Amino acid sequence: RLAHHLIGLGVKPDQPVAICVERSPAMVVGLLAILKAGGAYLPLDPAYPSERLRQVLDDAAPRLLLCDAAGRAALGAEALADLSVVDLDAATPAWADQSADDPDPHALGLTSRHLAYVIYTSGSTGTPKGVMVEHASVLNFLYAFSDIARISERDVLLAITTISFDIAGMELYLPLGAGGTVVLANRKDAPDAVALQQLLVHHKISMMQATPATWRMLLDAGWQGTPDVSVLCGGEALPANLASRLNRGARSLRNLYGPTETTIWSSSFPIETSIGELHHNVPIGRPIANTRVYLLDGHGAPVPFGAVGELYIGGAGVARGYLNRP
């Protein structure tokens, strides 16, 4: 219904549509509606500093914003003045009478080469850049990863990542695409070891993705692991000693690697119990389906086995490029 409403407001393929809402079912509805309407979602986390949010709005220049009270407060009246705003927490939504059928992507002219989202990098190497990712890249990742993770309709995934990071896409679309369940941790629970443990137990979580820092926080707070949980680890180097601690209490453990520019995760390494004897840091593994990874020297030639080189990633996951930049 919301997707039909957005189409009525003029949303077109490749058009960025901003969304700034608290973590809630409405957030997921908003993301899916933007995708179904043919737009590319531009995620803004209301927990981020207002200056950062306005910087993204200025650069991407969306015409439309989906928001709630938290989003309005984070952005401020000045930023909202230049946008058409759709209130997701309206008591009587304007789209209540719209069709409950999915919009026809062919009628919209939507193809796999159109954008699914524009996500901004952290800016650690300068000004944040908007990475433009197409539907085909996201679908390739989801199909490849559903095979790797062996996810099914029986799985329950605990989603803890802000939608301003692309890995939130895995947490939401991987279980939903398999008919599984998503449990959304709220903003306060995500960094709280006790709250996360309660969510893991209460909802019988079978899969969770987090950084090594978050997994260490859980273990240090006394979490013993859960035999039914598949542990997915990424975002920073995974020390072997942490991997062996995690492995003792999990159904399976996997290390993941990939930059935003190559769509969520590009490589994967399944971790066996003997990992601590082999490596100081756990390897990033092998590329996922339809992906290639090369280690090249300064001249673009492959380095010898065991030598240091620069990582080049090619294949279906490579993003279209940076918004408004070379």
Side-chain angles (χ1 to χ4, degrees):
R1 289 191 172 105
L2 178 56
H4 284 290
H5 181 62
L6 296 179
I7 291 164
L9 293 174
V11 170
K12 297 275 192 299
D14 271 4
Q15 182 184 323
V17 179
I19 177 167
C20 188
V21 294
E22 198 52 87
R23 292 179 67 78
S24 65
M27 178 189 85
V28 183
V29 170
L31 295 172
L32 294 175
I34 293 167
L35 291 170
K36 288 183 180 197
Y41 67 81
L42 175 73
L44 302 166
D45 188 333
Y48 278 32
S50 297
E51 187 185 341
R52 157 87 183 194
L53 297 177
R54 285 197 285 269
Q55 185 183 37
V56 169
L57 283 177
D58 288 345
D59 190 62
R63 298 204 301 272
L64 196 62
L65 165 74
L66 276 54
C67 78
D68 59 5
R72 282 181 175 276
L75 291 167
E78 195 181 331
L80 294 171
D82 300 329
L83 292 159
S84 295
V85 178
V86 176
D87 265 313
L88 292 191
D89 53 6
T92 50
W95 54 91
D97 297 330
Q98 293 279 0
S99 166
D101 294 330
D102 281 329
D104 176 7
H106 300 295
L108 298 173
L110 188 62
T111 73
S112 61
R113 305 306 332 179
H114 284 117
L115 296 180
Y117 58 76
V118 178
I119 283 188
Y120 275 73
T121 60
S122 61
S124 55
T125 55
T127 314
K129 298 185 282 289
V131 180
M132 301 186 288
V133 175
E134 298 173 346
H135 282 269
S137 298
V138 181
L139 266 191
N140 182 76
F141 167 77
L142 292 174
Y143 274 101
F145 216 79
S146 60
D147 282 349
I148 290 168
R150 299 199 179 108
I151 192 162
S152 77
E153 72 279 1
R154 294 184 299 279
D155 278 300
V156 183
L157 188 144
L158 180 58
I160 66 171
T161 309
T162 167
I163 57 168
S164 286
F165 282 130
D166 66 337
I167 55 175
M170 194 220 88
E171 293 179 336
L172 300 177
Y173 311 135
L174 190 69
L176 292 179
T181 303
V182 178
V183 175
L184 275 180
N186 66 37
R187 198 202 307 178
K188 295 190 186 74
D189 289 345
D192 182 332
V194 174
L196 286 182
Q197 285 186 67
Q198 288 171 344
L199 288 169
L200 283 161
V201 173
H202 179 72
H203 292 285
K204 297 183 171 64
I205 299 300
S206 65
M207 189 173 288
M208 180 171 142
Q209 164 185 261
T211 60
T214 298
W215 288 116
R216 182 180 280 109
M217 174 188 75
L218 268 168
L219 290 166
D220 290 349
W223 182 63
Q224 300 290 318
T226 312
D228 296 331
V229 171
S230 291
V231 169
L232 302 172
C233 209
E236 57 200 46
L238 174 60
N241 60 358
L242 177 59
S244 55
R245 284 177 73 192
L246 279 168
N247 226 356
R248 285 197 285 271
R251 179 175 69 183
S252 65
L253 175 59
R254 194 169 282 278
N255 192 35
L256 309 169
Y257 171 79
T260 307
E261 288 86 347
T262 59
T263 310
I264 309 182
W265 300 123
S266 302
S267 71
S268 163
F269 185 79
I271 297 164
E272 309 299 336
T273 43
S274 58
I275 191 71
E277 303 154 24
L278 298 175
H279 303 280
H280 173 61
N281 272 335
V282 177
I284 62 169
R286 296 193 172 276
I288 66 169
N290 301 312
T291 303
R292 293 191 174 192
V293 174
Y294 299 96
L295 269 180
L296 305 180
D297 63 19
H299 303 288
V303 299
F305 184 76
V308 173
E310 190 165 15
L311 200 64
Y312 281 70
I313 302 174
V318 177
R320 183 190 292 180
Y322 295 119
L323 185 68
N324 304 327
R325 289 164 192 259

